[in-house]
Amino acid sequence: AQSVTQLGSHVSVSEGALVLLRCNYSSSVPPYLFWYVQYPNQGLQLLLKYTSAATLVKGINDFEAEFKKSETSLHLTKPSAHMSDAAEYFCAVSGNTGKLIFGQGTTLQVKP
Amino acid sequence: DAGVIQSPRHEVTEMGQEVTLRCKPISGHNSLFWYRQTMMRGLELLIYFNNNVPIDDSGMPEDRFSAKMPNASFSTLKIQPSEPRDSAVYFCASSLTRGSSYEQYFGPGTRLTVT
């Protein structure tokens, strides 16, 4: 069975500061891992995906994530936060069934 | 590609009325998912289809909810009769589950308000 834990339901950073959103997973098979972003009143948009091809994954809008098998994690980072990054971020894991198991989400607040 | 298309975008109805939500998945995708999102429960998977066949409907809250996928390019989620607690945003998503990593692409959602 797969599961996802996102540490911190709310994260607040200043504009220009580093963004770090944490995601830990549990999976009995080699996982596919995803980060999605949801802007207010919109659907979820794929930010990046990890498929075991490389441990460092680059996504859209300068986000990236590093897969650490020993820590069962795929934390999301961005070097410099923009006001437009304020949104809810979801981590998800997929095994081999096609279903995605989502975390509870982390709301990112960016302060001017 | 137009992405996943959902209609209507907003629906306001009275308790007891029938509500039908519609979804057109991305062309070529073979799996379709219906989700519900609320502040209290977050994002919940209601049902998913693979090659037009329902695979897992364990998330459907009760018999008032039903979903169909008559062909590869169309699906409906029906609530009959609707209740105020059904108020939520309903998302449809599609994916390709053959030789891929199963990423899902979401539609813009239907915001349902039941008064």
Side-chain angles (χ1 to χ4, degrees), chain A residues 1-108:
Chain A
Q2 284 102 18
S3 67
V4 171
T5 302
Q6 291 185 238
L7 301 177
S9 58
H10 288 83
V11 170
S12 181
V13 301
S14 298
E15 191 174 19
L18 172 72
V19 176
L20 171 60
L21 304 181
R22 301 177 188 273
C23 173
N24 289 89
Y25 72 91
S26 172
S27 178
S28 56
V29 298
Y32 295 133
L33 295 160
F34 308 88
W35 275 100
Y36 283 83
V37 60
Q38 185 179 27
Y39 299 105
N41 299 313
Q42 295 187 25
L44 278 70
Q45 179 182 358
L46 183 64
L47 203 53
L48 56 80
K49 63 181 180 181
Y50 166 78
T51 59
S52 77
T55 56
L56 187 62
V57 183
K58 292 193 179 298
I60 61 172
N61 301 337
D62 295 327
F63 281 93
E64 64 181 30
E66 184 176 8
F67 176 73
K68 293 186 178 180
K69 184 177 181 180
S70 61
E71 298 178 8
T72 60
S73 69
L74 185 76
H75 300 331
L76 182 70
T77 61
K78 181 172 180 176
S80 176
H82 293 175
M83 296 296 293
S84 60
D85 294 326
E88 188 156 18
Y89 292 79
F90 293 91
C91 182
V93 63
S94 173
N96 54 7
T97 66
K99 281 174 60 172
L100 292 186
I101 307 301
F102 284 89
Q104 288 302 304
T106 298
T107 300
L108 177 64

Side-chain angles (χ1 to χ4, degrees), chain B residues 13-19 79-84 114-115:
Chain B
T13 192
E14 292 182 348
M15 182 174 63
Q17 296 298 306
E18 177 181 295
V19 175
I79 308 173
Q80 166 64 19
S82 58
E83 297 183 2
V114 183
T115 61

Side-chain angles (χ1 to χ4, degrees), chain B residues 51-71:
Chain B
N51 294 324
N52 311 338
V53 175
I55 302 300
D56 183 353
D57 66 353
S58 59
M60 296 286 262
E62 47 198 277
D63 292 344
R64 298 184 297 106
F65 286 69
S66 62
K68 294 182 179 179
M69 192 165 186
N71 57 61

